[in-house]
Amino acid sequence: MAKTYRNPVYPDVFADPFVLRHDGVYYAYGTAPGGADGRQVPVLRSLDLVDWEPLGHALLPIGAAHYWAPEVASHGGRFYMYYSAGSAPEGTDQKLRVAVADHPAGPFVDSGKLLVPDQPFAIDAHPFRAANGRWYLFYCADFLALEGEYRVGTGIVVDRLVDMTTLAGEPRVVVRPHEDWHVFRKDRTMYGAVYDWHTVEGAAVLQHDGRFYCFYSGGAWERDNYGVSWVVADDPLGPYTRPEGGHEALLMRTPKGGDLLGPGHNSFTTGPDGTSTWIVYHAWDLAQTARRMCIDRIDWVDGTPATPGPTWTDQPAP
């Protein structure tokens, strides 16, 4: 009988899940409480994307209270964890950092460098290597100016990585919040003023048929308006265009009558067959006790990404 799985695929808190496939082994990193030893960022290991073994925590702490949205890139025999850290309420002082290790499970040691020191707030770093070997970093920053249909709030930019710990310092806008479903919180006090704050975050890029699809999560991470959509470009640096129908999350959103809420902040990985693509994301249970890691298959239908997710019933395993 063919193996099946049911979401979530891991029982504990595991938000913002990122999966690295290295030498046929999957390593997952997420936003979750630190370990008893003070280390941060839980890391899991799997051979099939379904059965996950906890390996402890991977990041040596730097004294911050919050560690968010880790993603790991492999380059030159070393592993680079991009993450944000800060201590202010709601994480409003988060800064992007990078830590380095010799093994995917760590320990990762912070490099001591801020990736975008001039930004008061930066989160959700996504390292991306294009097919030509060039590296880029997508990340989030805040925008306070109303420009056309753009809303005030958190958006996504991209910059070139000069090396794995240094950005070119030439960020370009990928996508800013522009739809009603992107609302994070109305009448939010930020930067000494009050705004109807909107958010797009959690970039994850796929290169398909020569084009670059930047998937993002929009809305409020703790509400049912959270979901996944995308923009597309001919070059990683843009310009990015929006598909039709952006008045709602095009790839994934809270299903009617389902057992999951607010699916989003995803990554992508290749299945054990070496060809299929899987989206790895978090979702709440209906009681909202925790955000947990889920997976579903991604396919391309007439050149458009599609998934049955978020699923909560038995599905064919990768």
Side-chain angles (χ1 to χ4, degrees), residues 27-173:
Y27 297 88
Y29 312 84
T31 302
D37 58 2
R39 290 191 183 186
Q40 302 293 321
V41 180
V43 57
L44 314 174
R45 179 172 58 196
S46 176
L47 296 178
D48 60 6
L49 290 176
V50 174
D51 299 314
W52 292 93
E53 171 195 6
L55 300 181
H57 289 66
L59 176 66
L60 298 182
I62 59 168
H66 310 295
Y67 298 80
W68 289 359
E71 297 205 7
V72 174
S74 172
H75 181 70
R78 306 198 80 190
F79 300 88
Y80 297 84
M81 178 183 285
Y82 300 85
Y83 69 101
S84 69
S87 297
E90 284 200 341
T92 50
D93 65 341
Q94 292 287 108
K95 298 288 196 302
L96 285 184
R97 310 185 67 95
V98 59
V100 188
D102 294 322
H103 188 275
F108 285 85
V109 179
D110 189 83
S111 66
K113 295 176 65 174
L114 291 179
L115 289 170
V116 280
D118 295 336
Q119 283 286 355
F121 174 84
I123 61 171
D124 294 0
H126 171 60
F128 172 72
R129 183 181 182 270
N132 62 11
R134 294 173 183 164
W135 282 95
Y136 301 86
L137 194 74
F138 293 74
Y139 65 91
C140 289
D142 288 344
F143 295 84
L144 303 183
L146 288 168
E147 298 178 18
E149 58 189 333
Y150 289 147
R151 317 288 175 88
V152 170
T154 303
I156 296 171
V157 301
V158 60
D159 200 353
R160 293 182 298 110
L161 277 165
V162 177
D163 58 46
M164 299 305 285
T165 64
T166 309
L167 288 168
E170 302 167 350
R172 301 187 186 185
V173 173

Side-chain angles (χ1 to χ4, degrees), residues 246-270:
H247 61 282
E248 60 184 358
L250 290 175
L251 185 71
M252 186 179 288
R253 53 189 180 270
T254 298
K256 293 181 180 178
D259 288 348
L260 302 176
L261 290 174
H265 201 123
N266 70 280
S267 60
F268 295 102
T269 192
T270 303

